[in-house]
Amino acid sequence: MRPLRLLALAAVVWALAVQAAPVPAGRTGQVVSVSERDFAAARLGRLGLDALMEKDGRVYLVVSADECAELARRGVPFADETQRLALAAVERVGAGGGVNGAFHSPYEMETDLRLLEEAHPDLARLSEIGRSLEGRPLYALKISDNATVDEHEPAVLFAGCHHAREWISVEVPFLFGKYLLERYASDATVRALVDASEIWIVPIANPDGLQYTIDVYRYWRKNRRANVDGTYGVDINRNYGYAWGFDDQGSSPHPGSDVYRGTAAFSEPETAAVRDLVQAHDIRAMISFHSFGQDILYAWGFTSEPAPSDAELGAIGRTMAGLIEAVNGTVYVPGQASRALYVTNGDLIDWAYSLAGAPSYTIELPPVDIDHGGFFNDETAIAAVFEENRPAMLYLVRYAIDHPLLRRPLSPVRRERSVLSQTRKPKLVLRQP
Amino acid sequence: MERTLLPFAVVTGCLLVGAPAAAQLVLGQYEDEAPLASWNQLGSPPAPSLGLGGAQLARVWDLTQSLVNPALLTSLPRLSASVSASYGGASLDKYALVNTGVVESIGLPSVGLFGVDGGGVAGRAGPWAFAVVVAMPESYGRPAIAVGSGGYQLTFSQTGLLRVFHAAVARKLPGGLSFGIGLNAVAGRLDRSTVEQSVSPGATVTITDDKSEHFHGLYVNAGLTWRATARLTAGLAVRSPYLKKGPATSLLRYEVPQTGTDIRIAAEAENAYRQPWVYGIGLSYRFSAAWSLAFDADHFGWSRYTATFFDEPRERSFRSVVRAGGGIEYLAPTRFAAGTARIPFRLGFIVDPQPVTTVRTTYLGLSFGTGLELRALAAGISASFGRENGSGQNLRTARIILTLRYHFRE
């Protein structure tokens, strides 16, 4: 497994290089490793050194020339890892890429999640929470101290890629998990959050659809259910069990529609897997990432009536919007989903909120509109989008730790009758090759 | 100059300037890299072979059979030349964007192609025989798509082919045996392009997805024939597995000129498709000077097929299959242009199961053939008609092959 470990280290260095990780000004970015014993004996933790990770009995540090000199002055033996890891990072970059560039395919995500788990065995546990229609594993990464033990701590869920074409929604939750694991040793804030909670990362809720966007059609949205009428796909963010099929405006009964809700609530294995994960843990907050629009949306989506804790949901949303804007000025607009965007029923946040009042949000990531990329994001924007969302995500984890839930499921709602709408497929015209 | 050489040369020239596309029997299914035909491609059968259900391992008609069993070369005259062209039509079920969720066809899409399948020359010196053949056994083309109205337009195109450059040597052995071996270099390409454009008063959004693959590879084929009796001949052939691989490029692009948005994701990689072992056995039995039978069974080891696409392994749920075909031939003597000639009549069947396990299908076909064998010149024409069962779509296929063969004087 040594190559995997090397890859993990390389990924760390590479991430530092390309994602402009916040290395303090004045540091050279040189990576050195010291043994854990020497690290503890010399009390290096008190120096505020920028620790990347712990691996194979060694602690990897990003240090400046002055800090290097300090290590030498204290007589701490250290090894310069910069060149070795950079070389491995280059190899990693060469092995990645593909049609989807720096974005993850399901296969690449599986590889990277396993690398994270292997690099942080005490903090990360990768679970297969189900299988997609086409048999791809659905993964959840649990991040907590003693990750292999169920400590019944407050849990927070960050999910991505309910909609296949929203590639950026895969990256933000994944990078958040990566950030937590790699900063745990060196960042007291991160450590406190991870120690007091379970953070669940489901970066790809719709792997079949994502693969289809890579192989065949970039703008595919739904999963790959073969419907009875010959069309394909259920919108899995219209397939959750609260207010499912409430009306035909917030979802569609027609299989050909892009917002087809399926034949029944949780009819899709992808939504059933997320349901089971949520119900098995004390989920106190969650974010479902989507794109595009730069919105922070909260319940209700199925009705324009306010949710019972509308004020609290709004306050949290506004706080998160403020934290995001403070990073580099990008404006995300908070609001009740049905009012701020459009009516949806059977989506994840309404259902998750209905269980016990957990603050649940859909964050529509950049760009702001179709003229600036729509469901496309430049590869170089991945890191920036994550960085601007990171403070809000950390805030929500802290909020979940500090605030209990309503602990009372909300009443189910009855389906409304309304005029059906149908999305027609384009008529096909063929030419001979 | 033999009088029949001129028509052979003229027709061959006409065929060679035809469209460079392959016409093939049935639809390769459900994967982009599938040949536009059966997955089970083995050589490029000449018209007489197609008329007998594709049987070509034990009975020689044409030098292009060296692509399958080079041992047959020892049964050809001292010098011969051959060329085949064909027209094929097939209905399709699912491919790329069509009937997979993006656009739905009204009825099944269909495709018809005309092209030169292959040709070459062969010679014999004593117990030795040689051949050089160029063939185009696989085509990856699909019907193009153009949908949309108003300010919206979606287009898709996929083209591609695979050529085989084949050189073989064979030798007669004692005991009615012959052995032959061939070296085959393949080269080809597969290009796909999807363009989606929306025009609104404020902006024109264009999304482009281009993928291009080039292939090359090298494999060996070998064969053995055994003339057991004056009536019975058996043939055995094998094709080595090989890697069909080559550079691939991809470009995803999102453009909105009015806002200066131009997002590109470009990639380069080495794609690879591991082609399986193929081995087959054939029998030919001659009842009389006029009547004969031929039968082939070919095993394709698709269960070990792998595909690597832009550095990622692609899931391919395939099974190994055995394709079988055979038929009966009657040669009717006649007179033509003040000379003796023979008119063959052929009737055959084809059972061609496909390797894809997610949609289990088998093509069942009938074939017919005739022609004219006039001194050194032989012309054959055959047609096959097939129907698929298993998918519920009842896909249909048709193919017509014309083969011209010229045997130079001994």
Side-chain angles (χ1 to χ4, degrees):
Chain A
M1 300 310 283
R2 191 161 295 280
L4 285 180
R5 292 174 181 172
L6 190 60
L7 274 179
L9 294 173
V12 170
V13 174
W14 181 68
L16 278 176
V18 303
Q19 295 172 12
V23 177
R27 290 187 175 178
T28 63
Q30 183 182 4
V31 180
V32 300
S33 69
V34 300
S35 73
E36 287 180 350
R37 180 181 298 177
D38 291 334
F39 186 87
R43 299 186 175 183
L44 298 181
R46 295 184 176 181
L47 296 181
L49 297 176
D50 192 4
L52 282 175
M53 61 185 298
E54 299 163 21
K55 190 68 190 169
D56 293 337
R58 298 189 73 78
V59 180
Y60 289 78
L61 306 162
V62 180
V63 294
S64 66
D66 291 345
E67 288 166 339
C68 254
E70 178 65 16
L71 292 176
R73 193 186 67 74
R74 292 185 177 222
V76 178
F78 63 90
D80 188 344
E81 306 283 357
T82 311
Q83 194 170 7
R84 182 172 70 88
L85 296 183
L87 182 62
V90 169
E91 291 169 357
R92 157 112 176 106
V93 172
V99 173
N100 51 327
F103 297 90
H104 281 84
S105 68
Y107 174 80
E108 291 165 336
M109 180 56 74
E110 178 177 340
T111 304
D112 281 350
L113 289 174
R114 291 194 185 283
L115 285 171
L116 278 182
E117 182 189 36
E118 184 168 337
H120 307 278
D122 296 333
L123 300 175
R125 182 169 61 86
L126 186 62
S127 306
E128 183 181 316
I129 59 172
R131 291 249 164 184
S132 68
L133 279 168
E134 294 180 349
R136 293 185 175 84
L138 298 161
Y139 286 116
L141 183 71
K142 176 188 176 185
I143 297 170
S144 185
D145 62 334
N146 308 312
T148 57
V149 180
D150 190 354
E151 297 180 312
H152 304 288
E153 293 170 323
V156 186
L157 171 65
F158 298 99
C161 199
H162 274 72
H163 293 146
R165 60 195 175 191
E166 298 165 9
W167 288 4
I168 188 67
S169 74
V170 176
E171 306 307 317
V172 172
F174 168 73
L175 287 173
F176 186 60
K178 191 166 179 281
Y179 173 87
L180 295 175
L181 293 169
E182 291 169 357
R183 292 302 173 116
Y184 180 84
S186 60
D187 189 319
T189 302
V190 168
R191 190 160 54 248
L193 294 178
V194 170
D195 286 349
S197 68
E198 295 177 3
I199 297 161
W200 289 88
I201 309 288
V202 181
I204 302 175
N206 180 8
D208 297 347
L210 178 60
Q211 192 66 55
Y212 189 78
T213 65
I214 296 168
D215 289 344
V216 181
Y217 182 58
R218 174 65 182 83
Y219 258 35
W220 187 251
R221 170 185 169 98
K222 301 185 285 183
N223 73 355
R224 294 296 298 161
R225 166 73 69 184
N227 298 316
V228 291
D229 65 347
T231 62
Y232 278 79
V234 169
D235 181 348
I236 62 172
N237 206 37
R238 302 292 185 275
N239 189 243
Y240 286 91
Y242 191 76
W244 177 86
F246 178 74
D247 60 29
D248 296 331
Q249 187 182 356
S251 66
S252 172
H254 299 292
S257 167
D258 253 359
V259 290
Y260 174 51
R261 56 182 172 247
T263 54
F266 298 114
S267 61
E268 305 310 294
E270 294 89 351
T271 51
V274 175
R275 173 197 63 196
D276 295 344
L277 175 71
V278 169
Q279 291 183 334
H281 300 91
D282 182 17
I283 301 289
R284 293 195 183 181
M286 61 151 295
I287 296 175
S288 176
F289 286 99
H290 290 255
S291 73
F292 52 92
Q294 295 175 197
D295 300 299
I296 299 175
L297 308 173
Y298 49 86
W300 299 116
F302 78 95
T303 177
S304 57
E305 294 296 314
S309 49
D310 180 70
E312 181 187 6
L313 292 172
I316 298 169
R318 286 190 293 276
T319 301
M320 290 198 293
L323 289 167
I324 291 171
E325 187 172 0
V327 175
N328 55 22
T330 309
V331 176
Y332 288 50
V333 179
Q336 183 182 339
S338 56
R339 291 171 175 266
L341 194 60
Y342 43 66
V343 174
T344 60
N345 55 54
D347 78 350
L348 174 56
I349 63 165
D350 274 7
W351 174 75
Y353 174 75
S354 77
L355 291 177
S360 303
Y361 295 87
T362 291
I363 291 189
E364 299 281 358
L365 296 166
V368 69
D369 58 29
I370 199 166
D371 292 346
H372 293 84
F375 299 108
F376 274 68
N377 299 83
D378 197 291
E379 295 169 272
T380 58
I382 295 173
V385 173
F386 164 63
E387 287 297 333
E388 71 191 15
N389 277 270
R390 179 165 56 84
M393 299 168 81
L394 290 170
Y395 162 77
L396 194 66
V397 175
R398 169 50 60 192
Y399 185 92
I401 294 168
D402 294 342
H403 294 76
L405 294 174
L406 300 174
R407 299 289 177 196
R408 181 170 50 82
L410 300 177
S411 304
V413 294
R414 291 197 326 183
R415 187 183 187 286
E416 277 191 349
R417 286 181 149 190
S418 63
V419 178
L420 302 183
S421 61
Q422 182 170 9
T423 302
R424 292 187 181 279
K425 306 301 288 186
K427 182 180 176 182
L428 175 61
V429 180
L430 298 172
R431 297 191 308 267
Q432 298 301 327
Chain B
M1 186 176 176
E2 166 68 45
R3 279 191 303 169
T4 52
L5 179 58
L6 182 61
F8 173 77
V10 169
V11 176
T12 299
C14 292
L15 293 177
L16 290 175
V17 299
Q24 290 162 339
L25 183 59
V26 288
L27 166 66
Q29 296 177 69
Y30 303 115
E31 308 295 354
D32 291 329
E33 78 271 18
L36 183 58
S38 168
W39 278 92
N40 306 319
Q41 295 295 316
L42 189 60
S44 185
S49 171
L50 181 68
L52 292 173
Q56 54 178 337
L57 290 180
R59 172 91 183 273
V60 64
W61 290 276
D62 184 282
L63 65 94
T64 58
Q65 291 173 252
S66 177
L67 289 163
V68 181
N69 186 357
L72 294 169
L73 293 172
T74 62
S75 300
L76 287 172
R78 185 173 298 276
L79 186 61
S80 61
S82 166
V83 64
S84 288
S86 63
Y87 175 83
S91 56
L92 300 86
D93 178 13
K94 297 178 173 67
Y95 67 93
L97 310 177
V98 178
N99 294 331
T100 64
V102 184
V103 293
E104 294 174 56
S105 62
I106 301 169
L108 293 174
S110 63
V111 62
L113 296 170
F114 168 80
V116 176
D117 281 359
V121 295
R124 184 170 54 76
W128 293 93
F130 312 89
V132 177
V133 178
V134 178
M136 193 161 55
E138 298 187 9
S139 171
Y140 309 116
R142 300 288 189 271
I145 301 168
V147 296
S149 59
Y152 174 78
Q153 182 75 20
L154 172 66
T155 59
F156 168 80
S157 68
Q158 177 173 319
T159 59
L161 54 82
L162 190 74
R163 287 192 175 90
V164 179
F165 303 91
H166 168 85
V169 60
R171 194 185 196 286
K172 278 190 174 175
L173 301 171
L177 291 169
S178 291
F179 174 76
I181 187 166
L183 184 64
N184 303 268
V186 300
R189 61 175 178 77
L190 170 56
D191 300 311
R192 276 176 287 160
S193 178
T194 304
V195 179
E196 193 168 16
Q197 189 172 70
S198 302
V199 180
S200 61
T204 299
V205 177
T206 305
I207 303 169
T208 307
D209 181 355
D210 289 333
K211 297 184 179 77
S212 178
E213 301 177 73
H214 286 79
F215 306 124
H216 56 82
L218 204 61
Y219 68 87
V220 172
N221 71 312
L224 191 69
T225 59
W226 178 43
R227 191 179 171 92
T229 69
R231 296 175 182 270
L232 179 66
T233 303
L236 188 67
V238 62
R239 189 192 76 183
S240 69
Y242 73 100
L243 206 56
K244 189 175 79 179
K245 63 178 183 178
T249 59
S250 166
L251 175 64
L252 272 174
R253 188 174 184 188
Y254 187 100
E255 297 172 84
V256 185
Q258 291 85 346
T259 56
T261 302
D262 188 355
I263 300 170
R264 301 174 188 222
I265 299 177
E268 293 181 357
E270 177 98 346
N271 289 358
Y273 304 90
R274 183 167 292 282
Q275 305 296 301
W277 276 101
V278 182
Y279 53 88
I281 185 168
L283 293 172
S284 170
Y285 187 80
R286 184 172 294 283
F287 296 98
S288 65
W291 290 92
S292 63
L293 288 172
F295 173 81
D296 278 7
D298 305 312
H299 178 273
F300 293 78
W302 287 114
S303 60
R304 296 191 173 187
Y305 175 70
T306 62
T308 304
F309 188 73
F310 286 91
D311 298 325
E312 288 192 27
R314 281 290 182 266
E315 191 86 19
R316 295 287 184 260
S317 180
F318 279 15
R319 58 175 174 153
S320 296
V321 295
V322 174
R323 182 190 64 183
I328 188 166
E329 178 186 67
Y330 173 71
L331 294 173
T334 186
R335 295 192 64 79
F336 185 84
T340 58
R342 294 189 301 180
I343 298 176
F345 297 95
R346 302 180 178 105
L347 176 64
F349 72 95
I350 300 164
V351 180
D352 190 13
Q354 297 298 295
V356 178
T357 57
T358 50
V359 186
R360 289 199 176 222
T361 60
T362 297
Y363 287 87
L364 301 175
L366 289 176
S367 62
F368 315 88
T370 186
L372 181 66
E373 297 178 5
L374 179 64
R375 293 192 292 274
L377 178 67
I381 186 166
S382 294
S384 67
F385 303 92
R387 181 171 158 173
E388 167 267 349
N389 62 49
S391 75
Q393 299 293 335
N394 290 322
L395 302 179
R396 295 171 189 275
T397 66
R399 190 182 192 193
I400 300 170
I401 297 183
L402 171 67
T403 297
L404 292 179
R405 179 200 72 193
Y406 192 83
H407 289 169
F408 293 86
R409 283 186 175 177
E410 293 280 334

